[in-house]
Amino acid sequence: MTPPRRSERDPVLASAFMVGPAREATKGATRDSLRRHNLATVLRRVHRGGPQSRSALTAATGLNRSTIGALVAELVECGLVEEGEPEATGSAGRPSPLVRASTDHVVAAAVDIGTKWLTVAIGGIGGTLVTRVHRETNNDGRP
C-alpha cells in the first residue's frame, strides 16, 4: 500500500494542485472569508475605539481607501455603523467622514443575579448603555 501523496493529506497544498472549477470555488471561499475578516476588523475598531474617520481606519488597518469605503458602506447597509459629518482637521484636502457604531440596531443584554438583587442592562454595539434596571429582592437565603 502506497502512502497518500502530500497534496492529498494537506488541504492547503491540495488547493495548490486544484484546477478549473474546483480552484475557482476555493478562491471564492478565500475571498469571502477575507471580506468577512476585514468587515469584523473595521467593526471591532469602531466598536472598541469609538468614532473614527475613514482615513484613520485606513491607517490603522493597512487596507486601501477604496476597500475601507466598500467595507464601511456594507456595514452601513447592515445597520451596524453610521457615517457622520467629518471633523475639521485643518489639513489640506477633503475631510474623511466619521464612522461610528450604530446603537439602534444591535444590542447586548447582561444579567447579574445576586442573592439579594437582580440587575439587567442593555448595551449598544458602540459601548453605550441603553438601559439598566436594578431591583433588590426579598430573598431570605432560601434556595
Side-chain angles (χ1 to χ4, degrees):
M1 184 165 137
T2 61
R5 294 182 309 204
R6 178 148 171 83
S7 63
E8 294 170 347
R9 293 182 305 213
D10 188 340
V12 174
L13 267 182
S15 69
F17 292 101
M18 288 182 195
V19 292
R23 178 119 175 115
E24 290 304 313
T26 303
K27 281 184 184 178
T30 302
R31 285 186 196 129
D32 190 49
S33 61
L34 181 60
R35 182 186 60 78
R36 285 194 313 264
H37 170 78
N38 289 341
L39 283 166
T41 299
V42 171
L43 183 59
R44 187 178 313 109
R45 289 205 59 85
V46 173
H47 170 66
R48 292 184 180 163
Q52 298 178 41
S53 67
R54 280 190 189 182
S55 58
L57 290 170
T58 299
T61 62
L63 299 170
N64 65 41
R65 288 183 332 206
S66 61
T67 300
I68 290 292
L71 293 170
V72 168
E74 188 169 346
L75 291 170
V76 167
E77 187 177 314
C78 292
L80 297 173
V81 299
E82 302 168 342
E83 284 191 290
E85 292 297 317
E87 292 180 344
T89 60
S91 60
R94 183 176 52 183
S96 182
L98 200 60
V99 180
R100 70 177 53 82
S102 173
T103 58
D104 297 339
H105 296 90
V106 180
V107 295
V111 179
D112 180 21
I113 302 172
T115 57
K116 298 190 184 248
W117 70 86
L118 172 69
T119 304
V120 178
I122 305 293
I125 195 170
T128 58
L129 182 64
V130 176
T131 188
R132 179 181 177 272
V133 177
H134 178 80
R135 298 281 189 263
E136 299 294 323
T137 62
N138 291 335
N139 187 353
D140 60 0
R142 289 179 285 159

